[in-house]
């Protein structure tokens, strides 16, 4: 794609998709975490490394303990800072409220026991667990850095706090702990949004649309894509309008990747893949 075409097309952002049905099956399994009745559960799941900002969450909990005691926190995962984070918890005197669970294989089931999910990363892209939390009916709290603010709508499907700000995170936690209506309403909205916008079907449809937009930029110069000889390689298992990746690149003169894809991929390979979209 030349610079002029790129200016017309802009940048197409295509988030990853999740198998919502498979997620729900996992979530229906017995929860690996159980805590006392009447306590709200705050949860983090991921690596225990500095960049993930778990120390910020613990610092916020140290502040929170002075105003509320109706919570516990589950920190799921492992990493090089495990011992240092455990020491931070002891120094703050909250070892009876913060539990290091180690790695949990079934996060969807674990999230069924949680009321609040926090992703306090100092730098991150779009963490998988943030989408898992939304599918669990939890409006997550994320740090306002990198791609995470793009994942939530403030006060509607999630909450954004400044990265590295213990006090701001503690204040947001306190609000959600004290407002059941807000927490439940935003959780339902988060689940609905994630199910509609982060499914595998949606990802496949978005991928197909992005390729068709790229093709449309060249149709006036190169002729309609349906007239090209690659249609001869189409097979009955393809979805309507599916195509070989090289088909698009061959519309862009001088692109060396087209020949590589044509020789390296099977002739009946197509995007989107029928099995991925509609299942076997």
């Amino acid at each position: 794609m030349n610079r002029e075409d790129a200016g017309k097309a802009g940048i197409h952002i295509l988030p990853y998709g999740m198998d919502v049905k498979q997620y729900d099956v996992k979530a229906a399994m017995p929860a690996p975490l159980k805590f006392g009745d009447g306590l709200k559960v705050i949860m983090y799941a991921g690596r225990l490394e500095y960049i993930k900002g778990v120390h910020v969450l613990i610092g916020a909990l140290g502040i929170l303990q002075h105003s509320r005691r109706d919570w516990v926190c589950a920190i799921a995962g492992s990493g090089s800072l495990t011992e240092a984070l455990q020491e931070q918890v002891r120094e703050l005197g909250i070892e009876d409220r913060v539990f290091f669970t180690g790695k949990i294989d079934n996060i969807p089931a674990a999230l069924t026991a949680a009321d609040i999910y926090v992703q306090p990363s100092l730098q991150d892209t779009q963490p998988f667990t943030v989408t898992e939390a939304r599918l669990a009916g939890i409006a997550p709290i994320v740090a306002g850095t990198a791609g995470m603010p793009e994942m939530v709508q403030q006060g509607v499907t999630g909450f954004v706090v400044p990265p590295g700000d213990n006090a701001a995170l503690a204040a947001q936690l306190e609000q959600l702990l004290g407002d059941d209506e807000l927490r439940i309403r935003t959780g339902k909205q988060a689940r609905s949004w994630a199910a509609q916008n982060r499914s595998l079907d949606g990802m496949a449809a978005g991928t197909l649309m992005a390729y068709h937009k790229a093709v449309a930029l060249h149709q006036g110069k190169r002729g309609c894509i349906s007239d090209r000889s690659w249609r001869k390689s189409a097979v009955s298992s393809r979805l309507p309008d599916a195509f070989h990746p090289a088909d698009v690149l061959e519309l862009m003169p001088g692109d060396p990747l087209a020949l590589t894809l044509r020789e390296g991929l099977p002739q009946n390979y197509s995007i989107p893949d029928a099995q991925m979209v509609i299942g076997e």
Side-chain angles (χ1 to χ4, degrees), residues 93-126:
I94 52 176
E95 61 268 32
D96 60 333
R97 299 192 169 274
V98 179
F99 301 90
F100 291 83
T101 70
K103 184 178 179 181
I104 294 177
D105 293 329
N106 191 340
I107 294 299
L111 283 165
T112 62
D115 299 283
I116 299 171
Y117 182 82
V118 181
Q119 190 69 41
S121 304
L122 302 178
Q123 181 71 22
D124 223 322
T125 51
Q126 295 202 346

Side-chain angles (χ1 to χ4, degrees), residues 233-240 268 274:
S233 66
V235 294
S236 59
S237 62
R238 282 188 174 185
L239 296 174
N268 63 352

Side-chain angles (χ1 to χ4, degrees), residues 31-60:
L33 300 177
K34 292 183 179 180
F35 298 96
D37 293 339
L39 295 176
K40 295 184 176 69
V41 179
I42 301 165
M43 184 175 173
Y44 162 83
R47 293 182 292 121
L48 304 187
E49 304 293 345
Y50 180 81
I51 199 170
K52 290 297 186 177
V54 185
H55 61 286
V56 179
L57 170 58
I58 294 173

Side-chain angles (χ1 to χ4, degrees), residues 185-242:
R185 171 169 49 83
T186 54
K188 289 180 179 178
Q189 291 166 174
R191 162 72 190 194
S192 177
W193 189 94
Q196 292 178 21
N197 294 279
R198 287 297 176 94
S199 68
L200 284 181
D201 288 346
M203 184 178 71
T207 301
L208 187 59
M209 180 179 68
Y211 275 98
H212 281 310
K213 282 184 175 180
V215 171
L217 291 174
H218 298 270
Q219 285 182 340
K221 300 176 183 178
R222 304 286 294 175
C224 179
I225 190 170
S226 62
D227 293 333
R228 296 192 59 80
S229 60
W230 61 265
R231 288 285 186 182
K232 295 178 182 179
S233 66
V235 294
S236 59
S237 62
R238 282 188 174 185
L239 296 174
D241 296 325

Side-chain angles (χ1 to χ4, degrees), residues 81 158 184 186 197 212 243 249 279:
L81 291 186
I184 293 170
T186 54
N197 294 279
H212 281 310
F243 51 87
L249 296 177

Side-chain angles (χ1 to χ4, degrees), residues 58-205:
I58 294 173
L61 297 176
I63 297 172
L64 184 64
Q65 69 170 326
H66 298 297
S67 59
R68 302 189 70 96
R69 305 284 290 180
D70 58 345
W71 55 269
V72 293
C73 179
I75 296 177
S78 60
S80 65
L81 291 186
T82 300
E83 292 184 2
L85 293 171
Q86 290 172 337
E87 179 59 28
Q88 182 186 6
V89 166
R90 286 191 290 270
E91 290 177 354
L92 291 172
I94 52 176
E95 61 268 32
D96 60 333
R97 299 192 169 274
V98 179
F99 301 90
F100 291 83
T101 70
K103 184 178 179 181
I104 294 177
D105 293 329
N106 191 340
I107 294 299
L111 283 165
T112 62
D115 299 283
I116 299 171
Y117 182 82
V118 181
Q119 190 69 41
S121 304
L122 302 178
Q123 181 71 22
D124 223 322
T125 51
Q126 295 202 346
F128 206 64
T129 47
V130 172
T131 295
E132 289 182 312
R134 290 182 300 182
L135 287 174
I138 300 172
I141 302 173
V142 302
T145 183
M148 290 191 294
E150 300 173 12
M151 300 185 74
V152 303
Q153 184 179 354
Q154 175 67 21
V156 179
T157 62
F159 303 88
V160 182
V161 296
D165 193 329
N166 297 1
L169 178 53
Q172 186 62 75
L173 287 168
E174 184 168 7
Q175 180 189 24
L176 291 176
L177 288 169
D179 192 336
D180 292 343
E181 190 278 331
L182 174 65
R183 193 178 65 254
I184 293 170
R185 171 169 49 83
T186 54
K188 289 180 179 178
Q189 291 166 174
R191 162 72 190 194
S192 177
W193 189 94
Q196 292 178 21
N197 294 279
R198 287 297 176 94
S199 68
L200 284 181
D201 288 346
M203 184 178 71

